[in-house]
Amino acid sequence: MDAMLFDVQCIQVWGIHLVVPILLVICIQLLWHHYNLRLADPANKLPLPPGSFGLPLVGESFSFILKANFIRMKRLTLGTVYKTHLLGRPTIRVSGPDNIRKVLMNEHKLVTSHWPKAVQNLLGDGALSMMTSGTSHKNRRRLITKAFTHDALEVYTEDIIAVIREEIYKWCQDKTVKAYPSCHHLTFRLAAEILVGFRFCKEKNDELDFHFHRFVNSFFTLPINLPGFNYRKGVESRNKIHELLDSNIKDRWETDAYSVNTLQVLLDAMKDSGEELDVLGVKEAVVELMFAGYDTVGSALCSVILKLGQNPHVLEKIRDELFVHGILEPSEDVTFAMVGKLPYLNNTVKEVLRTCAPAGGGYRKVLETFELEGYQVPKDWTVIFSIRDTHEHSDTFNKDLTFEPDRWINIEDKSVAHEFIPFGSGPRTCIGRFYAQLVMKLLIIELCRSTEFTLLDKDPVIKILPVFQPKGGLPMEIKKRTVIYQNNNFNAKI
Ligand code: HEM
């Protein structure tokens, strides 16, 4: 009898301990779901897209960041428009050419660029991607575009080749290197030397290197400006980079220096249009260019090595093309005009960007409620457009991510304007896209003609955040190329 009474008491105690918390969790979860549903636009009769808001407050942020296959599974189960809750905001994620077109071509009308607070503060109002007013964004874009015209890129080409050659020479001396960090170092040098025109002593370069990395690493953190916090370190390093830029900008403004870098082209363009020198604005614009072109280009260059290493037949075809155009020997000069005449190389670069898109997507804030696939996309929510999902499920490319540069032979760029979007699309298309592709092409040319390399991990696990990258850094063996080239396809049409 006593034992039975004890059992009943145990069940009651355990019942209270288990049932109450479970009920509480269910209640909080329901409240969270209803709270978010109430953020829909009541004036719009359309339903919200399918999907879930995840856990209270954190939403689905951790799953998106930590689970490699989460985004792909969501796309497969929920389709091309679905709701979720990310980084503290109710969010609609979209992919597919029609949805991409509607979102990206309606910049400043239905949507506007939207970045986390820490990024906004660190880059500042002078950064192009932070400008939300249509007019100031358009005017600033017109100015910065001058630094990436055909003529400007032609001038940068010789210096880009020189930096690439120096870095490849070091890789060959080291014999075994990790492609991912090595490509990032190369990209950093290009940013410092070609974009900003820094060519100072080793100590100053190391100082810029240190502060630039500290700055980049502080971006996706909470904007807490207190000692010890990453954000505070980012602010300190941003100020230091601005200090290093200060004298560079003033000297260049006053001395009419010969223009071989982006900063100089920018200053010249400002002078030509009769603008006053706004030192802070120029510093913010230049730092943004360094930042925007760092991880993305570093990732793209590493993917070039990954794809060429996995597909030696592609590498050989590029060598054929270089041979036919008389630039296979490292002693033969490569010019910007020549690079534009190599169709197989061009298709290889597009295929790398399609199969290994460096950036996964972009963020927008909704300015007024609109419709996508019969669902409402409510005012003030975040929209994320997904580059990778769009590439992965494209009909034109048969939903196929197999690396095959020749598939581009019959595809016109215009016909896939919203299916192939490594650089986004519309008024905010990447301003550095031609520069990035030029650097990719020049790296491929130098790798093909001066080196032989072998991947030590041919099929690495891929991480997609913050950019596409092989886990383990993609180790490779690399040496100077000594083989006498024999082109068996000399008469073949390339
Ligand atoms: C392979 C390399 C690169 C990739 C994949 C890439 C990707 C992108 C994407 C997807 C966007 C659009 C973002 C959006 O719509 O929200 C963008 C914008 C931008 N990119 Fe790039 N980018 C690359 C290289 C560069 C380089 C080298 C620079 C500068 C030197 C640069 C500067 C910018 C800037 C300033 C914007 C903002 C444009 C605006 O808001 O009007 N990017 N990039």
Side-chain angles (χ1 to χ4, degrees):
M1 185 67 186
D2 270 2
M4 249 178 77
L5 194 63
F6 180 73
D7 279 356
V8 171
Q9 276 174 345
C10 267
I11 290 167
Q12 281 173 345
V13 171
W14 275 107
I16 288 167
H17 277 82
L18 274 177
V19 173
V20 172
I22 289 173
L23 280 178
L24 209 64
V25 167
I26 293 173
C27 284
I28 293 174
Q29 191 67 42
L30 284 173
L31 281 173
W32 170 244
H33 185 73
H34 282 284
Y35 164 75
N36 280 299
L37 286 184
R38 289 184 60 139
L39 298 178
D41 186 344
N44 191 296
K45 295 294 163 239
L46 293 172
L48 282 170
S52 88
F53 294 114
L55 297 172
L57 300 179
V58 293
E60 297 190 307
S61 308
F62 289 121
S63 304
F64 265 97
I65 294 166
L66 301 174
K67 291 189 193 163
N69 232 357
F70 193 74
I71 299 177
R72 178 169 293 141
M73 289 318 293
K74 282 262 170 190
R75 160 69 185 76
L76 288 174
T77 50
L78 298 172
T80 42
V81 181
Y82 62 88
K83 67 175 180 296
T84 172
H85 201 282
L86 293 177
L87 304 174
R89 289 180 56 85
T91 300
I92 310 266
R93 223 182 137 95
V94 307
S95 58
D98 294 340
N99 298 329
I100 295 285
R101 184 180 303 112
K102 183 145 183 187
V103 171
L104 295 188
M105 300 314 279
N106 280 297
E107 179 74 29
H108 306 307
K109 291 176 219 145
L110 296 180
V111 296
T112 186
S113 170
H114 177 75
W115 287 86
K117 196 78 193 140
V119 182
Q120 287 178 30
N121 295 349
L122 285 164
L123 285 182
D125 298 338
L128 189 62
S129 39
M130 298 304 130
M131 291 183 173
T132 48
S133 132
T135 319
S136 52
H137 175 244
K138 211 161 140 190
N139 290 341
R140 179 49 71 99
R141 242 190 108 93
R142 198 174 301 133
L143 190 77
I144 298 183
T145 302
K146 297 202 169 137
F148 297 104
T149 56
H150 195 279
D151 289 354
L153 293 177
E154 188 160 19
V155 177
Y156 305 152
T157 301
E158 203 181 319
D159 284 352
I160 298 175
I161 294 175
V163 174
I164 290 177
R165 286 184 150 207
E166 276 179 35
E167 288 302 310
I168 287 187
Y169 177 75
K170 281 192 238 156
W171 299 353
C172 290
Q173 283 201 318
D174 289 346
K175 296 191 179 99
T176 306
V177 292
K178 285 193 174 183
Y180 192 72
S182 304
C183 287
H184 271 72
H185 182 68
L186 165 60
T187 309
F188 169 74
R189 273 198 64 192
L190 291 173
E193 294 178 28
I194 311 296
L195 297 182
V196 192
F198 277 137
R199 255 179 227 270
F200 32 51
C201 58
K202 182 167 172 354
E203 290 76 47
K204 284 262 181 203
N205 262 339
D206 288 347
E207 195 180 356
L208 179 65
D209 195 344
F210 170 78
H211 286 294
F212 183 70
H213 287 98
R214 210 157 158 248
F215 173 67
V216 169
N217 289 334
S218 68
F219 266 68
F220 295 97
T221 51
L222 293 173
I224 303 174
N225 199 353
L226 290 174
F229 281 84
N230 249 351
Y231 176 76
R232 162 68 71 97
K233 292 179 191 160
V235 172
E236 285 167 3
S237 286
R238 192 262 327 266
N239 294 345
K240 193 71 207 171
I241 299 170
H242 278 195
E243 215 176 276
L244 288 167
L245 276 169
D246 253 331
S247 55
N248 212 10
I249 292 174
K250 283 183 192 139
D251 287 355
R252 285 176 186 277
W253 183 263
E254 278 154 21
T255 57
D256 270 342
Y258 174 56
S259 314
V260 284
N261 61 66
T262 306
L263 172 61
Q264 186 67 48
V265 179
L266 267 181
L267 292 171
D268 288 350
M270 284 175 92
K271 268 190 201 172
D272 289 349
S273 57
E275 281 188 38
E276 290 283 305
L277 175 63
D278 161 18
V279 179
L280 179 63
V282 173
K283 284 192 284 199
E284 288 177 339
V286 170
V287 170
E288 178 191 32
L289 294 181
M290 284 181 79
F291 165 72
Y294 175 67
D295 252 355
T296 48
V297 176
S299 160
L301 298 185
C302 179
S303 297
V304 156
I305 294 177
L306 174 68
K307 288 301 174 189
L308 294 186
Q310 288 175 333
N311 298 277
H313 69 282
V314 172
L315 204 118
E316 280 310 312
K317 275 188 93 166
I318 296 171
R319 286 195 175 126
D320 289 348
E321 192 170 62
L322 299 183
F323 181 79
V324 170
H325 286 82
I327 49 170
L328 184 64
E329 286 310 312
S331 55
E332 286 153 348
D333 281 346
V334 172
T335 60
F336 177 70
M338 214 176 259
V339 175
K341 287 184 193 144
L342 305 171
Y344 189 73
L345 178 69
N346 191 34
N347 290 344
T348 304
V349 163
K350 285 197 274 189
E351 190 64 349
V352 169
L353 291 166
R354 187 184 76 85
T355 53
C356 313
Y363 294 80
R364 295 289 185 275
K365 184 176 168 186
V366 181
L367 294 174
E368 68 181 66
T369 305
F370 63 97
E371 177 269 338
L372 275 185
E373 295 186 5
Y375 299 112
Q376 67 160 289
V377 179
K379 185 172 179 220
D380 287 334
W381 284 39
T382 295
V383 168
I384 296 182
F385 67 93
S386 175
I387 294 173
R388 228 164 264 131
D389 283 343
T390 302
H391 286 188
E392 220 171 297
H393 297 277
S394 151
D395 288 332
T396 306
F397 300 103
N398 303 321
K399 302 184 176 19
D400 181 7
L401 283 188
T402 317
F403 185 74
E404 188 39 85
D406 276 337
R407 72 171 73 242
W408 286 92
I409 290 174
N410 296 318
I411 297 177
E412 266 188 52
D413 288 357
K414 262 195 278 171
S415 69
V416 288
H418 295 99
E419 261 171 299
F420 173 61
I421 47 165
F423 297 108
S425 175
R428 285 199 185 267
T429 310
C430 175
I431 211 152
R433 62 198 183 283
F434 299 122
Y435 165 85
Q437 290 174 88
L438 175 64
V439 173
M440 289 171 75
K441 288 177 187 176
L442 293 174
L443 177 70
I444 296 177
I445 292 175
E446 291 308 325
L447 280 174
C448 284
R449 43 192 228 164
S450 321
T451 77
E452 282 167 49
F453 63 92
T454 317
L455 300 183
L456 297 178
D457 178 5
K458 277 218 157 49
D459 197 11
V461 174
I462 298 297
K463 264 173 66 182
I464 54 169
L465 287 175
V467 285
F468 186 99
Q469 57 188 288
K471 264 193 180 165
L474 198 66
M476 63 169 175
E477 276 174 0
I478 181 162
K479 61 179 183 188
K480 201 164 169 274
R481 188 164 165 267
T482 47
V483 180
I484 307 275
Y485 188 70
Q486 296 206 323
N487 186 326
N488 301 323
N489 302 322
F490 184 69
N491 292 318
K493 187 174 179 292
I494 291 172

